[in-house]
């Protein structure tokens, strides 16, 4: 059994399609550290949640990065959805603006054990707040054994990104910013879960995670 640590059932719905193991929503509102990088937020959450859960956990920290706003709301997307609302985020983009955007997600896995070093990132709390972008991954992995300390719990990170455009809200499906995010002419809220998974940031990260997790 795998605990998906989230207050958002939409994320769990998307994950079940990828994993043979039973995925259970672990509704634990972990304190989100203020950091400019999703990887740091997700890794911190996975460590906190692992201490509270009875088994392996995944945390998914996601955000909408709008080019015209230099990546805003990014890691602050949840706060902006609650306080501003997605309709007003769309209205904030002027007609003459570049409407391109991307959804990004980082899935962080923790089961309390160490991982064999691989070309993929293993966050050992050494890079808090630093960029864990896909292109930087090589440097995130070390063979070093980390001494004791709960903060040193290893966390494995899987990243996904999808490009798109900010548009007027359309569609009834999905969750969060899906109605204002268009990919190839269709908003994520107009897609079924399977259609969204096939192209989405979360689908890409989940596919990488599922492949690795099946071996573990
Ligand atoms: P948890 O932190 O409890 O998992 P959350 O919904 O707050 O739930 P995030 O902090 O990762 O999750 O999400 C940041 C924001 O981005 C939040 O407003 C989400 O609704 C939104 N979001 C995340 N993934 C999304 C997706 O696939 N489609 C649309 N909006 C998404």
């Amino acid at each position: 059994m795998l605990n998906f640590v989230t207050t958002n059932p939409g994320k769990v719905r998307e994950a079940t399609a990828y994993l043979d193991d039973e995925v259970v929503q672990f509704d634990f509102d972990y304190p989100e550290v203020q950091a400019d990088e999703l990887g740091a937020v997700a890794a911190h959450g996975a460590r906190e949640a692992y201490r509270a859960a009875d088994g392996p956990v995944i945390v998914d920290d996601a955000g909408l990065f709008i080019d015209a706003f230099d990546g805003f709301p990014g890691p602050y997307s949840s706060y902006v959805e609650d306080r501003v609302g997605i309709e007003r985020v769309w209205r904030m983009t002027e007609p003459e603006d570049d409407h391109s955007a991307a959804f990004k997600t980082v899935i962080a896995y923790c089961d309390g054990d160490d991982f064999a070093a691989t070309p993929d990132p293993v966050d050992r709390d050494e890079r808090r707040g630093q960029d864990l972008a896909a292109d930087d991954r090589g440097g995130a992995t070390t063979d070093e054994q980390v001494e004791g300390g709960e903060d040193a719990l290893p966390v494995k990170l899987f990243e996904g990104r999808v490009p798109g455009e900010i548009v007027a809200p359309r569609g009834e499906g999905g969750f969060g910013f899906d109605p204002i995010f268009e990919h190839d002419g269709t908003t994520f809220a107009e897609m079924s879960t399977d259609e969204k998974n096939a192209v989405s940031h979360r689908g890409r990260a989940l596919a990488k995670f599922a492949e690795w997790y099946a071996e573990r």
Side-chain angles (χ1 to χ4, degrees):
M1 186 184 88
L2 180 63
N3 295 291
F4 195 146
V5 184
T6 181
T7 58
N8 184 336
K11 290 184 177 180
V12 184
R13 203 167 47 238
E14 292 175 9
T16 50
Y18 283 87
L19 297 161
D20 296 332
D21 248 25
E22 188 191 0
V23 184
V24 172
Q25 180 173 359
F26 182 46
D27 199 335
F28 173 70
D29 201 3
Y30 60 90
E32 286 197 9
V33 289
Q34 291 293 298
D36 288 339
E37 293 302 327
L38 300 175
V41 179
H44 180 78
R47 292 189 178 98
E48 291 282 314
Y50 172 72
R51 292 182 191 117
D54 192 19
V57 297
I58 52 173
V59 164
D60 163 315
D61 196 47
L64 177 64
F65 295 73
I66 301 176
D67 289 356
F69 304 156
D70 204 17
F72 181 83
Y76 311 102
S77 296
S78 183
Y79 191 78
V80 169
E81 185 191 344
D82 286 349
R83 308 295 159 103
V84 180
I86 66 163
E87 170 108 19
R88 278 200 279 171
V89 170
W90 164 64
R91 287 188 192 286
M92 272 158 52
T93 56
E94 304 283 353
E96 64 274 17
D97 277 345
D98 172 8
H99 283 209
S100 52
F103 266 129
K104 295 185 204 172
T105 195
V106 175
I107 292 176
Y109 173 83
C110 182
D111 63 13
D113 284 339
D114 212 341
F115 309 105
T118 69
D120 292 320
V122 176
D123 181 301
R124 290 189 168 87
D125 219 14
E126 295 158 342
R127 296 169 33 120
R128 189 188 292 277
Q130 293 180 32
D131 189 3
L132 287 167
D135 294 342
D136 290 342
R137 283 176 172 182
T141 301
T142 79
D143 282 317
E144 265 171 53
Q145 284 301 311
V146 178
E147 292 297 321
E150 286 187 325
D151 273 354
L153 277 179
V155 168
K156 199 156 173 79
L157 303 176
F158 303 83
E159 194 174 81
R161 176 185 186 279
V162 60
E165 301 270 319
I166 300 302
V167 296
R170 294 197 323 262
E172 304 295 327
F175 63 89
F177 294 91
D178 282 344
I180 65 165
F181 186 82
E182 186 184 80
H183 178 78
D184 274 352
T186 309
T187 69
F188 273 4
E190 293 173 319
M191 298 182 186
S192 67
T193 300
D194 284 351
E195 288 167 340
K196 179 180 168 187
N197 270 348
V199 293
S200 80
H201 53 313
R202 182 161 301 101
R204 286 170 192 184
L206 281 168
K208 291 182 202 172
F209 170 69
E211 191 184 341
W212 176 82
Y213 188 60
E215 295 297 315
R216 188 159 175 80

